[in-house]
Amino acid sequence: MRVIIEPTYEKMSKWAADYVAKRIIESNPTPEKPFKLGCPTGSSPLGLYKELINKYKAGELSFQNVVTFNMDEYVNLPEDHPESYHSFMWTNFFFHIDIKKENVHILNGNAKDLKEECESYEAAIEAAGGIDLFMGGVGPDGHMAFNEPGSSLTSKTRVKTLTTDTIIANSRFFDNNLDLVPKQALTVGIGTVMAAKEVLLVCNGHHKARALQHIIDGEVSHKWTASMIQMHPHAIVVCDEAACDELTVGTYKYYLDKERYNLI
Protein backbone atom coordinates (compact mmCIF):
# COMPACT_ATOMS: atom_id res chain seq x y z
CA MET A 1 0.00 0.00 0.00
CA ARG A 2 1.23 3.44 -0.91
CA VAL A 3 0.44 6.39 1.38
CA ILE A 4 0.72 9.98 0.13
CA ILE A 5 0.76 12.69 2.82
CA GLU A 6 0.13 16.25 1.66
CA PRO A 7 0.07 19.34 3.91
CA THR A 8 -3.41 20.55 2.92
CA TYR A 9 -6.71 19.32 1.50
CA GLU A 10 -6.09 21.32 -1.67
CA LYS A 11 -2.69 19.72 -2.29
CA MET A 12 -4.09 16.29 -1.42
CA SER A 13 -6.84 16.79 -4.01
CA LYS A 14 -4.37 17.96 -6.65
CA TRP A 15 -2.09 14.96 -6.11
CA ALA A 16 -5.04 12.58 -6.43
CA ALA A 17 -6.35 14.33 -9.57
CA ASP A 18 -2.89 14.32 -11.16
CA TYR A 19 -2.66 10.57 -10.56
CA VAL A 20 -6.13 9.81 -11.94
CA ALA A 21 -5.50 11.99 -15.00
CA LYS A 22 -2.15 10.29 -15.61
CA ARG A 23 -3.75 6.85 -15.51
CA ILE A 24 -6.50 7.87 -17.95
CA ILE A 25 -4.06 9.47 -20.39
CA GLU A 26 -1.62 6.55 -20.20
CA SER A 27 -4.39 4.08 -21.04
CA ASN A 28 -5.09 5.95 -24.29
CA PRO A 29 -8.80 5.01 -24.08
CA THR A 30 -10.91 4.45 -27.20
CA PRO A 31 -14.65 3.82 -27.71
CA GLU A 32 -13.83 0.12 -28.06
CA LYS A 33 -11.53 0.08 -25.03
CA PRO A 34 -12.62 2.81 -22.59
CA PHE A 35 -11.07 3.58 -19.22
CA LYS A 36 -13.38 2.42 -16.42
CA LEU A 37 -13.42 4.75 -13.42
CA GLY A 38 -15.12 4.10 -10.08
CA CYS A 39 -16.53 7.26 -8.49
CA PRO A 40 -17.38 8.19 -4.89
CA THR A 41 -19.60 10.92 -3.47
CA GLY A 42 -19.32 12.93 -0.25
CA SER A 43 -17.27 15.94 0.75
CA SER A 44 -13.81 14.35 0.51
CA PRO A 45 -13.67 13.92 -3.30
CA LEU A 46 -15.06 17.38 -4.13
CA GLY A 47 -11.56 18.85 -4.43
CA LEU A 48 -10.49 15.92 -6.59
CA TYR A 49 -13.42 16.46 -8.94
CA LYS A 50 -12.71 20.20 -9.08
CA GLU A 51 -9.11 19.51 -10.12
CA LEU A 52 -10.21 17.01 -12.79
CA ILE A 53 -12.68 19.57 -14.16
CA ASN A 54 -9.88 22.15 -14.34
CA LYS A 55 -7.75 19.69 -16.31
CA TYR A 56 -10.59 19.11 -18.75
CA LYS A 57 -11.19 22.86 -19.20
CA ALA A 58 -7.45 23.39 -19.76
CA GLY A 59 -7.52 20.81 -22.55
CA GLU A 60 -5.28 18.40 -20.64
CA LEU A 61 -7.83 15.63 -20.24
CA SER A 62 -10.88 14.21 -21.99
CA PHE A 63 -13.59 11.95 -20.60
CA GLN A 64 -15.07 11.05 -24.00
CA ASN A 65 -13.85 7.48 -23.64
CA VAL A 66 -14.23 7.11 -19.89
CA VAL A 67 -16.96 4.89 -18.42
CA THR A 68 -17.91 5.54 -14.80
CA PHE A 69 -19.51 3.39 -12.12
CA ASN A 70 -20.60 5.14 -8.96
CA MET A 71 -20.23 3.57 -5.54
CA ASP A 72 -23.71 4.05 -4.11
CA GLU A 73 -27.15 5.67 -4.06
CA TYR A 74 -29.89 6.15 -1.49
CA VAL A 75 -32.99 3.96 -1.58
CA ASN A 76 -36.34 5.65 -2.29
CA LEU A 77 -34.89 9.11 -2.88
CA PRO A 78 -35.94 10.62 -6.23
CA GLU A 79 -33.07 10.93 -8.70
CA ASP A 80 -33.75 14.65 -9.08
CA HIS A 81 -33.67 15.24 -5.32
CA PRO A 82 -30.83 17.69 -4.58
CA GLU A 83 -29.25 15.20 -2.16
CA SER A 84 -29.43 12.14 -4.38
CA TYR A 85 -26.08 10.91 -5.59
CA HIS A 86 -27.32 11.25 -9.16
CA SER A 87 -27.72 14.99 -8.48
CA PHE A 88 -24.40 15.15 -6.64
CA MET A 89 -22.42 13.62 -9.50
CA TRP A 90 -23.98 15.67 -12.27
CA THR A 91 -23.83 18.92 -10.29
CA ASN A 92 -20.27 18.51 -9.05
CA PHE A 93 -18.63 16.64 -11.89
CA PHE A 94 -20.39 15.25 -14.95
CA PHE A 95 -22.06 18.48 -16.14
CA HIS A 96 -18.63 20.13 -16.28
CA ILE A 97 -16.77 17.58 -18.42
CA ASP A 98 -17.25 15.92 -21.81
CA ILE A 99 -18.41 12.53 -20.55
CA LYS A 100 -21.14 10.80 -22.55
CA LYS A 101 -24.36 10.29 -20.62
CA GLU A 102 -24.57 6.67 -21.75
CA ASN A 103 -21.16 6.03 -20.17
CA VAL A 104 -22.37 7.03 -16.69
CA HIS A 105 -23.59 4.26 -14.40
CA ILE A 106 -25.27 5.05 -11.08
CA LEU A 107 -27.33 2.61 -9.04
CA ASN A 108 -31.10 3.10 -9.19
CA GLY A 109 -32.37 3.36 -5.64
CA ASN A 110 -35.95 3.48 -6.93
CA ALA A 111 -35.84 0.21 -8.85
CA LYS A 112 -38.83 -2.10 -8.34
CA ASP A 113 -36.50 -5.00 -7.54
CA LEU A 114 -33.49 -3.73 -5.62
CA LYS A 115 -31.80 -7.12 -5.49
CA GLU A 116 -32.02 -7.44 -9.26
CA GLU A 117 -30.71 -3.89 -9.65
CA CYS A 118 -27.63 -4.76 -7.60
CA GLU A 119 -27.01 -7.97 -9.51
CA SER A 120 -27.37 -6.14 -12.83
CA TYR A 121 -24.88 -3.51 -11.67
CA GLU A 122 -22.28 -6.16 -10.88
CA ALA A 123 -22.94 -7.76 -14.26
CA ALA A 124 -22.48 -4.40 -16.01
CA ILE A 125 -19.10 -3.91 -14.33
CA GLU A 126 -18.04 -7.39 -15.37
CA ALA A 127 -19.28 -6.86 -18.93
CA ALA A 128 -17.23 -3.67 -19.12
CA GLY A 129 -14.10 -5.64 -18.24
CA GLY A 130 -13.88 -4.52 -14.62
CA ILE A 131 -12.90 -1.21 -13.05
CA ASP A 132 -9.46 0.16 -13.95
CA LEU A 133 -9.28 2.61 -11.06
CA PHE A 134 -11.75 2.86 -8.19
CA MET A 135 -11.62 6.18 -6.37
CA GLY A 136 -13.09 6.28 -2.88
CA GLY A 137 -13.53 8.21 0.32
CA VAL A 138 -13.46 7.11 3.94
CA GLY A 139 -16.04 7.69 6.66
CA PRO A 140 -15.06 8.65 10.21
CA ASP A 141 -15.88 5.07 11.26
CA GLY A 142 -13.71 3.66 8.50
CA HIS A 143 -16.50 2.73 6.12
CA MET A 144 -16.03 2.80 2.34
CA ALA A 145 -19.08 3.52 0.17
CA PHE A 146 -21.97 2.36 2.40
CA ASN A 147 -20.12 -0.69 3.67
CA GLU A 148 -20.78 0.08 7.31
CA PRO A 149 -18.80 -1.48 10.18
CA GLY A 150 -19.60 -5.18 10.28
CA SER A 151 -19.95 -5.53 6.52
CA SER A 152 -18.48 -8.56 4.80
CA LEU A 153 -15.03 -7.88 3.38
CA THR A 154 -15.89 -9.98 0.31
CA SER A 155 -19.31 -8.38 -0.26
CA LYS A 156 -20.68 -7.40 -3.66
CA THR A 157 -23.24 -4.76 -4.65
CA ARG A 158 -26.30 -4.99 -2.41
CA VAL A 159 -28.85 -3.18 -0.21
CA LYS A 160 -27.47 -1.90 3.09
CA THR A 161 -29.23 -0.48 6.14
CA LEU A 162 -27.41 2.60 7.37
CA THR A 163 -26.08 2.93 10.90
CA THR A 164 -27.26 5.62 13.28
CA ASP A 165 -23.82 7.29 13.04
CA THR A 166 -24.11 7.54 9.26
CA ILE A 167 -27.68 8.81 9.43
CA ILE A 168 -26.66 11.48 11.93
CA ALA A 169 -23.60 12.44 9.85
CA ASN A 170 -25.69 12.75 6.68
CA SER A 171 -28.49 14.67 8.38
CA ARG A 172 -26.54 17.88 7.73
CA PHE A 173 -27.61 17.51 4.10
CA PHE A 174 -31.28 17.12 5.11
CA ASP A 175 -31.80 20.22 7.26
CA ASN A 176 -30.45 18.26 10.27
CA ASN A 177 -33.70 16.32 10.29
CA LEU A 178 -33.00 12.63 10.94
CA ASP A 179 -36.47 11.69 9.70
CA LEU A 180 -35.62 12.96 6.22
CA VAL A 181 -32.42 10.94 5.85
CA PRO A 182 -32.91 7.69 3.90
CA LYS A 183 -32.33 4.64 6.09
CA GLN A 184 -31.11 2.35 3.32
CA ALA A 185 -28.82 2.60 0.33
CA LEU A 186 -27.56 0.53 -2.56
CA THR A 187 -23.79 0.17 -2.48
CA VAL A 188 -20.98 -1.62 -4.21
CA GLY A 189 -19.35 -4.13 -1.88
CA ILE A 190 -15.85 -4.27 -0.51
CA GLY A 191 -15.30 -7.21 -2.84
CA THR A 192 -16.44 -5.04 -5.77
CA VAL A 193 -13.86 -2.39 -4.94
CA MET A 194 -11.14 -4.96 -4.33
CA ALA A 195 -11.71 -6.43 -7.78
CA ALA A 196 -10.59 -3.15 -9.41
CA LYS A 197 -7.10 -3.01 -10.90
CA GLU A 198 -6.27 -0.02 -8.69
CA VAL A 199 -7.87 1.65 -5.67
CA LEU A 200 -7.25 5.25 -4.62
CA LEU A 201 -8.72 6.54 -1.35
CA VAL A 202 -8.77 10.17 -0.27
CA CYS A 203 -8.92 10.91 3.45
CA ASN A 204 -8.85 14.37 4.98
CA GLY A 205 -9.46 16.13 8.26
CA HIS A 206 -8.89 15.44 11.94
CA HIS A 207 -12.31 13.76 12.18
CA LYS A 208 -10.96 11.02 9.89
CA ALA A 209 -7.74 10.53 11.87
CA ARG A 210 -8.91 7.50 13.82
CA ALA A 211 -10.16 5.84 10.64
CA LEU A 212 -6.86 6.49 8.85
CA GLN A 213 -4.93 5.01 11.78
CA HIS A 214 -6.95 1.78 11.50
CA ILE A 215 -6.63 1.69 7.71
CA ILE A 216 -2.85 2.15 7.70
CA ASP A 217 -1.63 0.89 11.07
CA GLY A 218 -4.40 -1.43 12.23
CA GLU A 219 -5.33 -4.97 11.34
CA VAL A 220 -7.70 -5.79 8.49
CA SER A 221 -11.10 -5.81 10.14
CA HIS A 222 -14.78 -5.83 9.19
CA LYS A 223 -15.20 -3.17 11.89
CA TRP A 224 -13.13 -0.77 9.75
CA THR A 225 -14.11 -1.91 6.28
CA ALA A 226 -11.74 0.37 4.36
CA SER A 227 -8.85 -1.43 6.08
CA MET A 228 -9.36 -4.19 3.51
CA ILE A 229 -7.35 -2.18 0.98
CA GLN A 230 -4.25 -3.34 2.85
CA MET A 231 -4.81 -6.57 0.91
CA HIS A 232 -5.01 -4.88 -2.50
CA PRO A 233 -1.89 -5.16 -4.69
CA HIS A 234 -2.26 -1.63 -6.08
CA ALA A 235 -3.79 0.64 -3.43
CA ILE A 236 -3.01 4.27 -2.66
CA VAL A 237 -4.23 6.36 0.26
CA VAL A 238 -3.91 10.12 -0.26
CA CYS A 239 -4.38 12.15 2.91
CA ASP A 240 -3.73 15.56 4.42
CA GLU A 241 -1.73 16.34 7.55
CA ALA A 242 -4.84 16.71 9.72
CA ALA A 243 -5.91 13.13 8.99
CA CYS A 244 -2.51 11.88 10.23
CA ASP A 245 -3.04 13.10 13.81
CA GLU A 246 -3.36 9.59 15.25
CA LEU A 247 -0.57 7.93 13.29
CA THR A 248 2.58 7.09 15.23
CA VAL A 249 5.59 9.27 14.51
CA GLY A 250 7.36 6.22 13.11
CA THR A 251 4.54 5.41 10.67
CA TYR A 252 4.22 9.03 9.57
CA LYS A 253 7.94 9.37 8.87
CA TYR A 254 8.08 5.95 7.20
CA TYR A 255 5.59 6.88 4.51
CA LEU A 256 7.11 10.31 3.94
CA ASP A 257 10.52 8.69 3.55
CA LYS A 258 9.20 6.10 1.08
CA GLU A 259 7.87 8.82 -1.23
CA ARG A 260 11.16 10.76 -1.19
CA TYR A 261 12.57 8.56 -3.94
CA ASN A 262 9.34 7.33 -5.51
CA LEU A 263 9.32 8.52 -9.11
CA ILE A 264 6.16 6.70 -10.20
Side-chain angles (χ1 to χ4, degrees):
M1 181 169 61
R2 188 177 177 188
V3 178
I4 306 298
I5 301 171
E6 292 291 336
T8 65
Y9 172 75
E10 289 74 22
K11 289 187 176 181
M12 175 200 85
S13 299
K14 186 178 187 309
W15 194 100
D18 286 346
Y19 187 87
V20 173
K22 179 183 177 183
R23 282 293 185 256
I24 294 173
I25 293 169
E26 286 177 343
S27 74
N28 192 25
T30 65
E32 295 73 29
K33 191 179 179 182
F35 187 89
K36 286 86 65 180
L37 184 66
C39 295
T41 54
S43 58
S44 293
L46 283 174
L48 165 57
Y49 288 144
K50 181 180 178 181
E51 291 290 339
L52 289 174
I53 291 167
N54 289 340
K55 289 180 181 298
Y56 161 69
K57 290 183 176 179
E60 300 173 12
L61 182 63
S62 172
F63 294 86
Q64 279 281 311
N65 296 318
V66 173
V67 172
T68 63
F69 287 90
N70 255 75
M71 279 189 154
D72 41 28
E73 178 58 288
Y74 288 118
V75 168
N76 292 331
L77 194 68
E79 285 188 9
D80 60 357
H81 189 285
E83 297 306 331
S84 77
Y85 290 157
H86 279 75
S87 294
F88 177 98
M89 290 305 301
W90 284 99
T91 299
N92 294 296
F93 191 33
F94 296 146
F95 275 137
H96 309 283
I97 58 176
D98 61 342
I99 196 165
K100 299 173 183 175
K101 188 173 183 180
E102 61 267 26
N103 286 347
V104 172
H105 299 82
I106 305 177
L107 283 155
N108 179 9
N110 296 287
K112 291 183 178 180
D113 188 329
L114 296 178
K115 185 174 183 292
E116 182 181 352
E117 170 68 12
C118 294
E119 291 173 351
S120 296
Y121 202 71
E122 283 285 341
I125 292 174
E126 184 176 349
I131 305 294
D132 293 304
L133 173 59
F134 224 132
M135 305 182 293
V138 180
D141 59 1
H143 74 255
M144 183 165 52
F146 275 123
N147 294 284
E148 304 281 32
S151 295
S152 166
L153 297 180
T154 60
S155 56
K156 297 295 186 178
T157 303
R158 67 213 186 285
V159 183
K160 283 293 290 183
T161 299
L162 308 186
T163 64
T164 299
D165 284 348
T166 296
I167 292 169
I168 291 173
N170 289 357
S171 67
R172 67 189 189 279
F173 303 117
F174 294 86
D175 298 324
N176 292 310
N177 186 338
L178 299 182
D179 293 333
L180 297 180
V181 184
K183 306 304 186 290
Q184 288 187 316
L186 303 185
T187 181
V188 297
I190 296 298
T192 311
V193 177
M194 291 292 290
K197 294 181 180 70
E198 289 189 89
V199 179
L200 183 148
L201 294 187
V202 290
C203 182
N204 65 287
H206 175 75
H207 64 301
K208 304 283 183 73
R210 189 172 176 221
L212 185 66
Q213 187 273 329
H214 280 275
I215 292 167
I216 294 176
D217 257 348
E219 298 178 355
V220 174
S221 171
H222 65 287
K223 293 182 179 180
W224 301 85
T225 56
S227 66
M228 186 61 176
I229 68 163
Q230 293 178 31
M231 306 299 291
H232 198 285
H234 300 289
I236 302 177
V237 177
V238 191
C239 54
D240 63 4
E241 290 276 0
C244 296
D245 285 353
E246 294 200 21
L247 296 181
T248 64
V249 173
T251 297
Y252 175 82
K253 289 186 175 180
Y254 169 76
Y255 283 112
L256 285 179
D257 188 56
K258 277 187 67 177
E259 288 305 313
R260 188 175 302 169
Y261 304 111
N262 197 326
L263 303 178
I264 299 176

